[in-house]
Amino acid sequence: MNVILLGPPGCGKGTQGAVLAERTGTSRIGTGDLLREAVRTKTPLGLRAQDFMEKGLLVPDEIILGLIQEVLNTDKASKGLIMDGFPRTVAQAEAVDHLLASRDTGIDHVLCFDVPKDELVRRMQGRAEAEGRNDDNPEAFRKRLEVYLKQTAPLVEHYEQRDLVTNIHGLGSVDEVAARVQEALEV
Ligand code: AMP
């Protein structure tokens, strides 16, 4: 089962992706996590990505496409993948389709998490204190929301045309949202 998690920053993709992966024996892979690790360890990828991330901008496709290829070619991918934070652009979506097709598999579901903006801001503030991410500040967060609406939200329509999208109401406790995810995927 290959699932894409879509939604604005703070909508719960990471948390729900982890719960879902645990439940279904699949792997959650988040490009944001991989990039933060690359920044922390100062790899060439991290050094190229850092500035974009701090500003709340997307890391350009030409940098990210290699990372996506690596992710989809890992052994972990063979049992099914929960894709958290990618694809984020149409070019990335096309690359994901192409790479999955070359492994005789494809996207089974796209979950789109819906959370009102004031709640997203509230969660970002909580996470800023808990995790100290340097893109969880008001300015970068505003940019991330804007970038989501402009560059990533169009993917919802792209996948709706293929009848893959289920909208998930993202307010409530982790368990409540997880129950909605399970119901949508019948897992
Ligand atoms: P996230 O943890 O998914 O919110 O990602 C944090 C930051 O990493 C984003 O604001 C982007 O700068 C960068 N990033 C993560 N995934 C991608 C992606 N698929 N394409 C471009 N940039 C990404």
Side-chain angles (χ1 to χ4, degrees), residues 31-32 35-36 52-53 57-59 64 85-86 88 92 133 135 144:
T31 42
L35 288 167
R36 277 186 289 281
F52 297 100
M53 293 172 74
L57 299 171
L58 290 188
V59 177
I64 220 89
F86 76 100
R88 255 173 155 106
Q92 292 181 22
R133 267 174 63 160
D135 59 353
R144 286 160 64 203

Side-chain angles (χ1 to χ4, degrees), residues 29-184:
I29 302 207
T31 42
D33 292 339
L34 294 172
L35 288 167
R36 277 186 289 281
E37 181 61 14
V39 169
R40 197 182 62 78
T41 55
K42 298 191 168 63
T43 66
L45 174 73
L47 293 174
R48 292 175 72 192
Q50 184 166 18
D51 195 40
F52 297 100
M53 293 172 74
E54 276 172 10
K55 292 186 176 131
L57 299 171
L58 290 188
V59 177
D61 284 335
E62 81 243 23
I63 303 178
I64 220 89
L65 288 176
L67 179 68
I68 289 181
Q69 184 164 9
E70 242 173 71
V71 162
L72 296 184
N73 280 329
T74 53
D75 285 346
K76 283 185 182 173
S78 57
K79 287 194 197 138
L81 269 191
I82 313 296
M83 295 174 238
D84 169 9
F86 76 100
R88 255 173 155 106
T89 63
V90 173
Q92 292 181 22
E94 284 167 357
V96 167
D97 274 338
H98 184 73
L99 288 160
L100 290 177
S102 70
R103 301 171 63 105
D104 287 328
T105 160
I107 297 158
D108 300 298
H109 299 278
V110 176
L111 300 182
C112 187
F113 291 87
D114 186 24
V115 175
K117 187 177 162 190
D118 54 350
E119 172 66 8
L120 297 174
V121 171
R122 205 184 60 78
R123 290 184 187 178
M124 176 275 291
Q125 285 162 346
R127 189 165 69 180
E129 283 163 28
E131 295 175 24
R133 267 174 63 160
N134 54 11
D135 59 353
D136 277 339
N137 60 70
E139 198 187 335
F141 193 78
R142 193 163 13 89
K143 194 75 208 169
R144 286 160 64 203
L145 269 177
E146 189 187 311
V147 162
Y148 171 76
L149 291 174
K150 204 162 161 189
Q151 292 181 268
T152 307
L155 291 184
V156 177
E157 202 181 313
H158 170 91
Y159 291 120
E160 264 169 356
Q161 284 168 5
R162 289 159 57 183
D163 213 14
L164 291 171
V165 177
T166 308
N167 289 302
I168 303 284
H169 176 52
L171 281 182
S173 68
V174 172
D175 287 348
E176 282 165 347
V177 179
R180 292 174 202 140
V181 170
Q182 280 169 35
E183 198 186 330

